[in-house]
Amino acid sequence: MSDLFDQAQDAVPDTAPRPLADRLRPQKLSDVIGQDQVLGPEAPLGVMLASRSLSSLVFWGPPGVGKTTIARLLADETDLQFVQISAIFTGVPELRKVFEEAKMRRGNGRGTLLFVDEIHRFNKAQQDGFLPHMEDGTILLVGATTENPSFELNAALLSRAQVLVLERLELADLERLAQRAEQELGVALPLDGAAREALLEMADGDGRALLNLIEQVAAWKVEGKLNTDALSARLMKRAAKYDKSGDEHYNLISALHKSVRGSDPDAAVYWLARMLAGGEDPRYLARRITRMAVEDIGLADPQAQVQCLQAWETYERLGSPEGELALAQAVLYLALAPKSNAAYVAYKSAMRHAKETGSTPPPKHILNAPTRLMKDHGYGAGYAYDHDAQDGFSGQNYFPEGIERPSLYQPVERGFERELKKRLDYFSKLRSKRGSDAE
């Protein structure tokens, strides 16, 4: 399959028209725009290349940020044969042929970098099929996915590959790409400053999408420079959604979220309406609104999350446009609810402590002891059953032994968390008392 692909590429005459995105494809890694977090000298790929020790990789990121290009250039840098397949069009027979060709190539002293686009679309059995060929060095796998690898890829495959996150291109990166495109085309885009920025925003961090847009705009025969309105008229709804006035997806959701966090119900419902009027998926909004309840309100008002889930369910039952009123109701409730990110902060702090302490086991007194051997090793010894303790609270330690007890959850003096803070202080005093009694 890969040989047929290479032959087809070779059969294309040099004089054939080539899309701008193909003409501007970087020829070396230093030409890649953006992605310094993986390509820089001290970044993962920079370090691997400097040490001449490239491992299997999974590139996770949105479309048009350079996943395929970087993989191809990595093969050039390491003198590996570049073979590209797509999980959408490749089945087991094609995979078997790719592996056989890689084995033959390896026998002739040449390694293979196998680039698998949309790797998350392979099922578990197909993903497992890569493992023996990765382990014996037949292939160096570079997968690309737009989906979260933690959810879409097998743990066995992930354990043999390093996940690198590629990010959507920033406006500054897109501007550099636009300048390269103008140099390649030999013309300046017929846009004024505001229209040019609107064009960059339309790409939404996707370099390939930007080059396709630039190719369209550069072909227009116009006098002078177009403004944002003229650009919007020529490119219709897509330009209008991402124009200079702020109808850009990420800007609007940020405005909605910050208005809720800032307890401004009028601004919050306004930005909700702007997004709905712009054609945003109400289900996306329902998910983000629920996230706001968890992240910015939490236990200060436990009903906030309930309100969001009920609004989501109501939308699913009613559909548009009636169901969108339920989303507006939830947004208003969130904006007026007491705010606390204490649970969010506690969770992030707990994750940091969990990573620092690694696989430290729980203390033996809270471990079950279903066998005699486990009892002999102290499992369950000294456990205090809280229901039998005074005040229903034993004050025992539940953190791993040798770890100083951290204070992770610190509720605020707002809403229901005011009551939770009283309970936390009460248990803290009891714990101190139990500790002094034990002494």
Side-chain angles (χ1 to χ4, degrees):
M1 178 178 172
S2 58
D3 291 341
L4 290 176
F5 177 81
D6 293 337
Q7 292 170 14
Q9 290 290 95
D10 294 339
V12 179
D14 293 338
T15 56
R18 295 169 60 202
L20 182 59
D22 185 50
R23 288 153 62 186
L24 285 179
R25 190 182 296 275
Q27 299 303 305
K28 53 184 183 294
L29 284 172
S30 59
D31 292 337
V32 175
I33 292 177
Q35 314 310 333
D36 290 342
Q37 77 285 356
V38 298
L39 291 172
E42 299 301 318
L45 286 182
V47 172
M48 287 185 195
L49 292 173
S51 62
R52 308 297 295 176
S53 177
L54 190 63
S55 66
S56 289
L57 305 164
V58 173
F59 292 151
W60 174 26
V65 296
K67 295 189 287 292
T68 305
T69 295
I70 294 174
R72 185 182 296 274
L73 294 176
L74 284 176
D76 292 342
E77 290 274 348
T78 53
D79 195 29
L80 296 173
Q81 177 70 33
F82 181 78
V83 178
Q84 178 178 352
I85 62 174
S86 171
I88 300 175
F89 303 111
T90 306
V92 173
E94 292 85 0
L95 277 177
R96 188 177 294 115
K97 184 177 180 181
V98 167
F99 295 144
E100 289 173 355
E101 291 175 351
K103 286 181 180 178
M104 293 176 59
R105 202 175 290 118
R106 184 186 178 204
N108 293 326
R110 185 93 189 273
T112 300
L113 187 152
L114 177 60
F115 176 70
V116 184
D117 199 15
E118 303 287 347
I119 190 171
H120 62 277
R121 293 184 179 269
F122 276 135
N123 61 36
K124 184 180 186 301
Q126 290 169 318
Q127 291 182 31
D128 286 343
F130 289 98
L131 303 181
H133 306 289
M134 294 168 65
E135 291 173 346
D136 67 10
T138 299
I139 62 169
L140 188 145
L141 177 69
V142 178
T145 177
T146 55
E147 304 295 328
N148 189 328
S150 300
F151 303 137
E152 302 296 338
L153 299 183
N154 293 351
L157 191 150
L158 285 176
S159 70
R160 293 163 174 81
Q162 183 173 350
V163 176
L164 300 181
V165 180
L166 302 188
E167 299 174 352
R168 60 195 300 271
L169 299 181
E170 301 291 339
L171 284 180
D173 298 325
L174 294 172
E175 173 59 29
R176 288 175 57 200
L177 189 58
Q179 292 175 12
R180 283 190 189 177
E182 289 174 318
Q183 185 175 2
E184 172 68 23
L185 294 169
V187 298
L189 293 176
L191 305 173
D192 66 17
R196 186 183 183 93
E197 187 173 345
L199 186 72
L200 299 182
E201 290 175 341
M202 284 175 55
D204 196 22
D206 185 328
R208 184 169 51 244
L210 176 65
L211 293 176
N212 291 338
L213 290 169
I214 288 174
E215 205 161 16
Q216 292 182 55
V217 174
W220 294 343
K221 307 299 181 183
V222 298
E223 294 292 334
K225 294 187 176 183
L226 302 176
N227 60 22
T228 303
D229 291 338
L231 178 68
S232 300
R234 286 172 174 262
L235 292 180
M236 300 180 66
K237 289 186 177 180
R238 186 171 184 185
K241 186 176 180 182
Y242 293 94
D243 67 12
K244 181 69 176 176
S245 66
D247 288 333
E248 193 264 330
H249 172 82
Y250 290 100
N251 287 344
L252 292 187
I253 193 61
S254 176
L256 172 58
H257 196 151
K258 289 180 173 62
S259 297
V260 166
R261 183 181 292 154
S263 300
D264 189 333
D266 295 327
V269 76
Y270 166 77
W271 290 116
L272 174 72
R274 281 281 297 272
M275 296 195 78
L276 290 171
E280 186 58 73
D281 182 0
R283 291 180 176 86
Y284 167 78
L285 289 167
R287 181 175 66 83
R288 288 299 298 254
I289 291 167
T290 305
R291 172 189 165 182
M292 295 172 201
V294 175
E295 183 176 325
D296 290 294
I297 297 168
L299 293 174
D301 186 349
Q303 283 298 311
Q305 183 177 335
V306 176
Q307 287 281 341
C308 292
L309 293 174
Q310 288 180 343
W312 196 341
E313 182 180 355
T314 300
Y315 174 80
E316 295 293 351
R317 289 176 179 270
L318 294 182
S320 294
E322 295 88 348
E324 291 164 1
L325 177 59
L327 300 182
Q329 178 177 300
V331 163
L332 292 170
Y333 187 98
L334 297 188
L336 293 171
K339 304 299 188 294
S340 172
N341 70 341
Y344 180 61
V345 171
Y347 170 73
K348 291 201 300 182
S349 182
M351 287 296 292
R352 186 175 66 254
H353 278 77
K355 291 176 181 178
E356 290 173 354
T357 54
S359 56
T360 309
K364 287 186 178 181
H365 64 266
I366 63 171
L367 297 179
N368 291 330
T371 68
R372 180 60 181 269
L373 176 64
M374 297 169 79
K375 289 180 180 178
D376 291 343
H377 280 77
Y379 282 39
Y383 171 64
Y385 188 55
D386 287 77
H387 293 292
D388 292 338
Q390 184 180 1
D391 303 310
F393 180 78
S394 68
Q396 278 198 313
N397 174 51
Y398 301 105
F399 281 94
E401 295 176 0
I403 293 179
E404 185 176 351
R405 177 185 180 82
S407 179
L408 303 178
Y409 177 50
Q410 300 180 21
V412 299
E413 287 280 1
R414 290 187 294 275
F416 183 67
E417 278 203 331
R418 182 181 293 112
E419 296 301 315
L420 295 181
K421 188 175 188 309
K422 292 178 182 177
R423 299 181 195 179
L424 192 62
D425 292 343
Y426 170 71
F427 288 130
S428 180
K429 290 178 182 178
L430 284 182
R431 186 175 290 108
S432 297
K433 184 175 184 300
R434 298 289 190 269
S436 61
D437 290 346
E439 294 175 2

